Each structure stands twice: as C-alpha cells, then as structure tokens.
Amino acid sequence: MDRRNENIIDNIDLWTLGLYFALVVFGWISIYGASYNFDDSDFWDFSQRFGKQLVWIGCALVIGAVLLMLDMKTYATLSYVIYGFFILLLIITLLVAPDTRGSHSWLVLGPISLQPAEFAKTATCLCLARYMGSFGFSMKDLQQSIIMNLIILLPMGIIILQNETGSALAYLALYLTLYRQGMTGIVLVLGLCAAVYFVVGIKFGATPVLDFVPGDSLGMFVIMIIAVIIALAMVYFYHRDSSLIKTVSISGVSVFAVGILLISLLDVKIKFTYLALAIVVFLFAFLIVRAIVYRKIGYFAISLFLVGSIGFGHISDYAFNKILQPHQQTRIKVTLGMENDLKKSGYNVNQSMIAIGSGRWTGKGFLQGTQTKLKYVPEQDTDFIFCTVGEEHGFIGTTAVVVGFLVLMLRLISLAERQRSTFSRIYGYCVASIIFFHVAINIGMVIGLTPVIGIPLPFFSYGGSSLWSFTILLFIFLRLDASRKEYVM
C-alpha cells in the first residue's frame, strides 16, 4: 500500500467518521420505519424506498473512499474549475429540467434523478475557501469583497430562478464563515434586523395601533421603534455619545406623552406611526449634524441604517405580496399564526407535530407509529423524516439525533480550528455552517418554528442527491484534515 494512503488512514478523524456512520444508519432506520408496510418482509427489496436508500448509502461510501484517496492539493487546485462547472450545470438545469411540482431543479438521467443545487454547495464552499485563502485577500478591499459575495450569491440566484428557494437560502449560511474570517459583527446584526423587520411587518402590518385610528400600522410603528433603539445602541457602542442618547430619549418620551394626552383628553386621532416617525426624523437630523461637526463617518453610517430600516419595512411588505408566490405566502402566514390552514399548507406541519407529540418520552416503538403507518404525514421519509424519529423513538430519540448533530458540528469547528491551511480552515467552517443551517431549518420546519421551505435533514432524508452531496461535503474536509500537517496554503 502507498505510504501516503497509510498516513491518510492513520490520521483520519475517527470521531467525525463515527458520527457520520451513526447518523447515516439511524437515518436509514428512520426511512425504513417511514416507508415500510407490513406486506413487505424483506428490507433488501430495492423497489421500496428503504431498499433504494441502501443503494445510495453504498454508493456514498464508495464516493467517500475515493475522496479520501485523492491528493488533497486536488481540491484547492480544481476549486475554480469545479465551481465553474456547477454554475454551468445549474444554468443548463434551469433550461432543460422538467417541471417537478413547480420547480426546474432536477436532471433526469435515465432511472436516476439528480439535483445539481445540492452538489453546487460543495463547489461553492471550495471556491470560497480558495478565494479567501489566497495570498493578500482582505475583506476590507472593496473589489475582493464584491467578488467574495458574488461567489455565494451567483449560484443562489440561479437556484432561486429554478424555484428552489429552500436550497438557495442554505447558501446564506456561508456568511457565518465570513464572520469567523473577520467580517464585522454589524453584518450579522443587520441580517437579524432584516429578519425581525420582515416578520414584524408581515404579522402586524395590517394591525392598527389603536382600533379607532384607521391606517395606523402597528408593524411599521414597531419597526421604527426598534430601529431607533438599535441606532442609539450603535451610538453608545461606537461613539459613547451619552448626551445624544439622553436628548433623543427625553424627546421621544415627551412626544409620546403629548400624543397620549391629546388622544385621551381631546379625542384627537393621532397616528402613533407619525409620532414614531417624528422621533426617527429627530434622531436622523442629530446624526447628520454630528457627522458634519465632528467629521465622523460613523454617525453618517448610523443615519443610513435608520433610513434603511424604514425603507426595508416598506419593501418587505411589497416583496411579500408581489414577489413571493401564494403558497409561499401561506406557509409564512401559517408559521406566524396568521392563518390556520390545517387542510392545505398547514396540514404537513400539523400532522408532523401530532406524530412527534404522540411519541412522548420513549416513542411508540420501531415500526409502531400510527401516523407513519397510516401515511398521515406527507413527505415523511424526506423533508419530514424527523417526525418519524419523534413518533417511533420519542423525546429520547429526537434528543439523541439533535445531540448527534450538535456534537458533529462542534467537532467540525474543532477540526477547522486546528488546520494550518487557510483554505482548509475556511472550508471546514463552510461545511459546519451548511450542516447547521439544514439541521436548524429542517427540524424547525417539522415542529412548526420555521416556514416549510423543503430542505432535507442531512444523512436522514431519503434521496441520493442529498446523501451524496453531504457525504462529498464532509469527506473532502476529512481528507484535508488528514493531511493538515503536509500542506499550507
């Protein structure tokens, strides 16, 4: 045997490999439980999904073995080529793929259907790691920062055009990697603010602050108040300008006090959104004056955040009603409790939660799930596989799965931190970020905490594309880690 291959086998991280095998085996058991019926007695029946999954698992192990045997330099050297190939493949898929429940994301190759969007995640991770790991890269360089963002957003945009929003959103997880590489935390704050504004605007946009004052949007009022509070927090954190904070706070309290008095005593129908807007304008003016007088661009940046927050509040409402498709709107409304559609969009989640709740502490037992056996939960062996775990194995089983994924992600972060190569470290964080996003969103989706966007649970959901893509994503990193002492990029 080649001495180099012996070193790879000796240095491969057995903890990660063991977690991979454990999750894959438990995933297959769950698929077997979800798709088995009592007329079948042979789990080698390859006409059934559990039999087909065995084939996918066998192929995945072969793929993993091949990836471990390749020279680690191959991944860095060919990263741009691999990325370009999958961008081209995504475009071809968009043009030639058949319509599958409204999306054009599956390539049919004889008896096999593959989803290039899943494999493109690995290509994007490799390309991003190669670019950010190159000599002289700096996030402070505007041109390099634009290219870095394009690497992430280009495949994401093409996949959105394929009408696979769920798969596209997974690419946003890569921004967690950027944060580890020095991206300012303000970007994550802005992302969190955007999410909060969107949810508040959609849920409370049509709700009046006061019932007798029509047209006064509670959603917009809350968005403006949140924006003012965060802007003042930025003023304190970046400039320690206590005087500005006190002035705006006292002015804000005074404005609302006067407004409440006018409403209570004189029965004046004042819109609270106008009062909040007055505070926003007041703070904006102070920030601009501070920026000019003290010549500090930070004040100007905070004023832009303030204006952007108000603008995003209005844009989110437009995007929700004009850009999102009706079924996507309904899913979000069901998640936010705005609708109770138990027969259509809310049916899957409702049945899933019934299945998980019925499992209680220890579950009903393997192959004993009534919700599973009677096929009450659609997609119960793909996107909703976690409900099968909950029904058959209960709280203990679902906790074991969550802990397994948590340990895997922490282990990946630990391995990433010990890499000598910047390329390997960034790639390791990309792997951990992608897996984290899929696990968090999929489980949140199944238990009703996030909208149903149709993304698989890694190593559990039925399907070759999902299993192979996550296997490739993980085993490339195992190969890089096994040779971490040999090559520094």
Side-chain angles (χ1 to χ4, degrees), residues 25 36-37 60 97 108 122 148 188 225 316 333 342 350 368 373 397 410 421 446:
V25 170
Y36 173 87
N37 61 70
V108 180
T122 300
M148 175 191 69
L188 294 181
I225 295 301
S316 62
K333 288 180 178 179
L342 299 182
N350 184 61
Q368 301 303 313
K373 288 292 152 287
L410 291 176
S421 164
V446 170

Side-chain angles (χ1 to χ4, degrees), residues 190-213:
L190 293 177
L192 179 61
C193 287
V196 171
Y197 295 160
F198 182 80
V199 171
V200 170
I202 298 305
K203 187 172 179 62
F204 302 107
T207 303
V209 180
L210 298 173
D211 293 334
F212 58 86
V213 183

Side-chain angles (χ1 to χ4, degrees), residues 358-388:
S358 67
R360 299 192 177 184
W361 284 99
T362 58
K364 296 178 179 177
F366 183 52
L367 302 182
Q368 301 303 313
T370 54
Q371 292 290 113
T372 300
K373 288 292 152 287
L374 298 177
K375 311 296 182 184
Y376 280 118
V377 184
E379 311 295 340
Q380 61 188 12
D381 53 4
T382 53
D383 296 342
F384 283 81
I385 188 69
F386 191 72
C387 76
T388 303

